[in-house]
């Protein structure tokens, strides 16, 4: 538990250019010169005036710091816990393999049940985020969590491969909307320069889940029961603790800052001013078909989606296969599953401090490229030798390095959008395509290539190289667009307020973050 003084210090540090900020991108450099004011006569405009500079008073700055603290404590921590619950159910099958689910269900390979999750996860993310624009987030996210929790627990009832495939597909349907929905909610609560750090916290909870899931599975798998098999105990346990969270979510999750009961009026006023300036202030029911179409036709969103897909191929390797890798390195079932917590702890640290790492790298694109280089180094260590110690160190290195792109790429994409609908669509598209990387990962390490898994590691190295190239090309494209807008700003004086609102990131005053 941190003190008020320590937290205030943290918030003060956030007011310097961090995370996705860059000295020549975005709306500016800090709170005092990055935002643009609107007088009382212009507050009804659907898109803010981006020309007048906003100077926050001391009272507004104090209210803003209080707002961030409350949002972190009452919203972010709880949603991070929910994401951890979703990830536990997502990797439950991988944890169940070492405790004998394949033998108990007479399955030769769990690849199909493992991968089918990502098919439904891909298909249902965008529709789920469209529903989110018409339903209160607290209700929709809680409904999704309740549904996947019950379905995950019902996995204990399956008797064959077909039943397992059906359960995994249905879990994917309900989990599909949660990740993209959580990103969209964060985008409605946090300004662009604060978003990446919170997404890093959320994705770090997945690494935290993977970290203790291995030892937990080893312990649960050792329980002797005359009525339940070890995998059944595992599924019931994961589904049960998720259900507890999902029920409480109906009462704990808050929808939007302007409708939140724990915020004071001055806190609501200052965040409303900031979010309206960025074009990300919204409520249930706000939906723009123009922004929807532009999202689907925006090649940059598709580029971020492809990057997320490629980066997640590598990022899912640790959570899905670390327990299997460590067992087959010769450490034994119980010790191997327990040791899988170490590489997942590395990924937790990287995810949690991703905002600071992005800042140190000088921007998101640089951080993604550098992390992939470390990822390649770890994969080379894992594939180039048969020595268990070296392979284990390589496993820790690439599991930790690969995870930085998981929060960074969606955060990079969402922070470069303006408009509620376009922001929600970007989060859904990038998240869904990114998560589909897990589908590919499921097929990259077949049992026949054990114990070194040379083909899978080589394929992973190629994917990482592609991410580096694609990231640098996209960075150059954003920089060119920013320079073009600086030199030849477009004339928008003839546009109506509604047309201005739908411009989003096409607004001549919008600057992309690299």
């Amino acid at each position: 538990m941190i003190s008020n003084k320590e937290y205030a210090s943290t918030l003060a540090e956030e007011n310097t250019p961090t995370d996705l900020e860059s000295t020549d991108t975005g709306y500016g450099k800090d709170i005092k010169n990055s935002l643009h004011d609107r007088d009382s006569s212009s507050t009804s405009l659907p898109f803010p005036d981006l020309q007048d500079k906003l100077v926050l008073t001391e009272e507004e700055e104090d209210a803003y710091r209080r707002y961030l603290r409350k949002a972190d404590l009452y919203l972010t921590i709880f949603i991070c816990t929910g994401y951890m619950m979703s990830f536990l159910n997502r990797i439950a099958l991988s944890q169940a393999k070492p405790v004998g689910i394949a033998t108990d269900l007479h399955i030769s390979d769990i690849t199909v049940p493992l991968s089918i999750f990502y098919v439904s996860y891909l298909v249902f993310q965008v529709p789920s985020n469209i529903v989110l624009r018409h339903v209160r987030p607290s209700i929709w996210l809680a409904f999704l969590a309740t549904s996947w929790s019950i379905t995950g627990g019902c996995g204990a009832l399956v008797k064959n491969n077909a039943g397992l495939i059906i359960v995994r597909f249905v879990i994917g349907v309900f989990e599909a909307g949660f990740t993209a929905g959580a990103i969209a909610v964060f985008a409605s609560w946090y300004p662009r320069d604060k978003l990446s750090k919170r997404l890093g916290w959320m994705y770090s909870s997945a690494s935290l889940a993977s970290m203790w899931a291995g030892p937990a599975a080893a312990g649960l798998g050792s329980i002797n029961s005359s009525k339940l098999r070890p995998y059944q105990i595992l599924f019931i346990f994961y589904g049960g603790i998720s259900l507890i969270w999902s029920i409480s979510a109906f009462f704990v999750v808050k929808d939007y800052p302007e409708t939140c009961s724990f915020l004071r009026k001055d806190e609501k006023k200052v965040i409303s001013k900031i979010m309206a300036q960025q074009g990300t202030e919204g409520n249930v029911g706000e939906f723009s078909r123009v922004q929807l179409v532009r999202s689907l036709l925006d090649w940059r969103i598709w580029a971020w989606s492809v990057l997320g897909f490629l980066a997640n191929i590598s990022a899912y390797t640790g959570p899905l296969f670390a327990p299997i890798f460590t067992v087959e390195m010769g450490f034994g079932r119980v010790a191997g599953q327990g040791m899988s917590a170490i590489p997942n702890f590395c990924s937790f640290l990287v995810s949690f401090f991703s905002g600071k790492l992005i800042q140190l790298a000088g921007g998101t694109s640089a951080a993604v490229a550098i992390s992939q280089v470390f990822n390649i180094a770890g994969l080379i260590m894992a594939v180039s030798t048969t020595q268990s110690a070296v392979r284990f160190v390589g496993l820790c290195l690439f599991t930790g390095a690969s995870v930085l792109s998981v929060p960074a790429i969606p955060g990079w994409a969402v922070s470069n959008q303006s408009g509620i609908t376009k922001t929600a669509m970007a989060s859904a598209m990038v998240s869904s395509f990114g998560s589909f990387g897990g589908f590919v990962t499921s097929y990259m390490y077949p049992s026949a290539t054990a114990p070194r898994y040379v083909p899978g590691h080589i394929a992973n190295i190629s994917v990482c190289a592609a991410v580096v190239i694609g990231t640098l090309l996209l960075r150059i494209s954003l920089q060119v667009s920013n320079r073009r807008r600086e030199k030849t700003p477009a004339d928008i004086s003839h546009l109506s307020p509604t047309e201005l609102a739908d411009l989003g990131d096409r607004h001549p005053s919008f600057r992309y973050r690299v």
Side-chain angles (χ1 to χ4, degrees):
M1 195 72 178
I2 63 176
S3 66
N4 292 346
K5 183 176 181 181
E6 290 171 327
Y7 194 89
S9 175
T10 300
L11 294 182
E13 291 178 0
E14 289 184 358
N15 289 338
T16 60
T18 60
D19 297 338
L20 300 178
E21 292 186 296
S22 176
T23 56
D24 62 345
T25 58
Y27 289 113
K29 296 182 180 178
D30 55 33
I31 293 176
K32 290 186 177 181
N33 62 12
S34 68
L35 306 176
H36 302 79
D37 200 7
R38 300 178 303 160
D39 58 31
S40 58
S41 64
S42 66
T43 55
S44 61
L45 289 178
F47 198 86
D49 180 2
L50 299 180
Q51 303 304 319
D52 299 330
K53 295 292 183 67
L54 170 70
V55 177
L56 295 180
T57 65
E58 290 185 7
E59 291 77 10
E60 287 176 323
E61 289 180 346
D62 179 66
Y64 185 40
R65 284 190 291 268
R66 283 188 276 108
Y67 167 81
L68 289 175
R69 176 183 180 125
K70 289 181 179 179
D72 289 344
L73 294 179
Y74 294 110
L75 177 76
T76 301
I77 292 177
F78 189 77
I79 288 184
C80 288
T81 305
Y83 187 75
M84 180 172 66
M85 296 296 106
S86 73
F87 204 78
L88 280 174
N89 283 271
R90 191 179 311 177
I91 65 173
L93 183 56
S94 296
Q95 299 293 339
K97 182 180 179 181
V99 300
I101 187 173
T103 302
D104 293 334
L105 297 183
H106 307 290
I107 301 174
S108 59
D109 194 359
I110 65 168
T111 300
V112 175
L114 195 65
S115 62
I116 196 67
F117 167 91
Y118 300 99
V119 176
S120 55
Y121 197 89
L122 170 67
V123 172
F124 287 95
Q125 281 213 31
V126 172
S128 180
N129 254 26
I130 294 176
V131 173
L132 184 64
R133 298 309 313 149
H134 299 280
V135 181
R136 288 171 52 194
S138 57
I139 295 176
W140 184 239
L141 295 183
F143 164 75
L144 294 174
T146 301
S147 301
W148 90 55
S149 300
I150 294 174
T151 306
C154 289
L157 302 177
V158 302
K159 302 298 182 181
N160 51 45
N161 192 39
L164 188 60
I165 291 174
I166 292 173
V167 167
R168 292 284 297 175
F169 183 87
V170 175
I171 291 176
V173 171
F174 293 123
E175 284 201 20
F178 188 85
T179 302
I183 295 174
V185 169
F186 280 148
S188 297
W189 275 78
Y190 290 101
R192 297 198 305 158
D193 59 312
K194 309 299 182 204
L195 184 60
S196 180
K197 180 175 292 187
R198 275 71 188 183
L199 291 180
W201 292 350
M202 185 181 81
Y203 284 109
S204 71
S205 66
S207 301
L208 188 63
S210 300
M211 185 176 68
W212 66 265
L220 293 170
S222 300
I223 296 176
N224 293 320
S225 173
S226 58
K227 297 182 179 180
L228 296 174
R229 302 300 299 167
Y231 80 89
Q232 293 176 311
I233 298 175
L234 198 67
F235 287 163
I236 292 173
F237 175 74
Y238 287 165
I241 60 176
S242 295
L243 187 61
I244 295 174
W245 182 92
S246 63
I247 294 174
S248 61
F250 282 103
F251 308 99
V252 177
V253 174
K254 305 301 179 183
D255 299 314
Y256 298 99
E258 56 267 30
T259 60
C260 181
S261 59
F262 62 71
L263 293 177
R264 291 167 40 174
K265 289 184 178 180
D266 59 339
E267 296 163 354
K268 293 181 180 180
K269 184 177 179 180
V270 70
I271 194 60
S272 177
K273 180 186 294 186
I274 295 171
M275 300 300 282
Q277 187 276 334
Q278 297 185 359
T280 52
E281 183 184 41
N283 282 296
V284 173
E286 293 186 8
F287 184 79
S288 169
R289 288 183 175 84
V290 174
Q291 292 182 29
L292 171 63
V293 173
R294 286 182 175 174
S295 300
L296 296 175
L297 298 178
D298 190 336
W299 72 267
R300 288 190 177 95
I301 294 181
W302 288 107
W304 276 306
S305 299
V306 172
L307 285 178
F309 164 72
L310 294 174
N312 272 271
I313 291 176
S314 183
Y316 269 102
T317 302
L320 291 179
F321 290 101
I324 300 172
F325 289 161
T326 51
V327 169
E328 293 182 351
M329 284 179 188
F331 297 111
R333 184 185 69 80
V334 176
Q337 279 195 289
M339 289 183 66
S340 68
I342 299 176
N344 285 310
F345 179 68
C346 295
S347 66
F348 165 74
L349 291 177
V350 172
S351 295
F352 189 81
F353 294 106
S354 60
K356 182 62 68 175
L357 293 174
I358 290 172
Q359 178 189 3
L360 293 174
T364 306
S365 56
V368 170
I370 293 172
S371 68
Q372 293 301 315
V373 173
F374 280 99
N375 195 2
I376 291 173
L379 288 165
I380 291 175
M381 292 177 65
V383 75
S384 61
T385 181
T386 57
Q387 296 182 15
S388 297
V390 176
R391 292 172 61 200
F392 185 76
V393 173
L395 174 63
C396 293
L397 181 57
F398 79 71
T399 301
S402 64
V403 80
L404 186 136
S405 298
V406 177
I409 292 177
W412 188 18
V414 171
S415 70
N416 278 308
Q417 311 303 319
S418 184
I420 290 297
T421 303
K422 198 162 188 286
T423 300
M425 286 296 298
S427 70
M429 291 169 65
V430 177
S431 178
S432 61
F433 276 87
S435 298
F436 197 65
F439 176 87
V440 177
T441 309
S442 302
Y443 289 92
M444 286 176 61
Y445 294 93
S447 301
T449 61
R452 292 180 61 189
Y453 299 99
V454 174
H457 287 323
I458 292 177
N460 239 332
I461 292 172
S462 302
V463 167
C464 294
V467 173
V468 173
I469 296 171
T471 298
L472 296 179
L473 290 176
L474 184 55
R475 174 191 174 97
I476 293 172
S477 172
L478 297 177
Q479 290 173 326
V480 170
S481 294
N482 286 338
R483 287 194 291 267
R484 184 184 300 119
R485 292 181 182 184
E486 290 286 350
K487 293 180 179 179
T488 57
D491 180 17
I492 58 172
S493 59
H494 61 285
L495 299 181
S496 67
T498 300
E499 290 172 326
L500 285 173
D502 285 330
L503 279 178
D505 58 289
R506 295 184 179 186
H507 196 287
S509 293
F510 190 96
R511 297 295 180 268
Y512 293 107
R513 299 172 183 270
V514 297

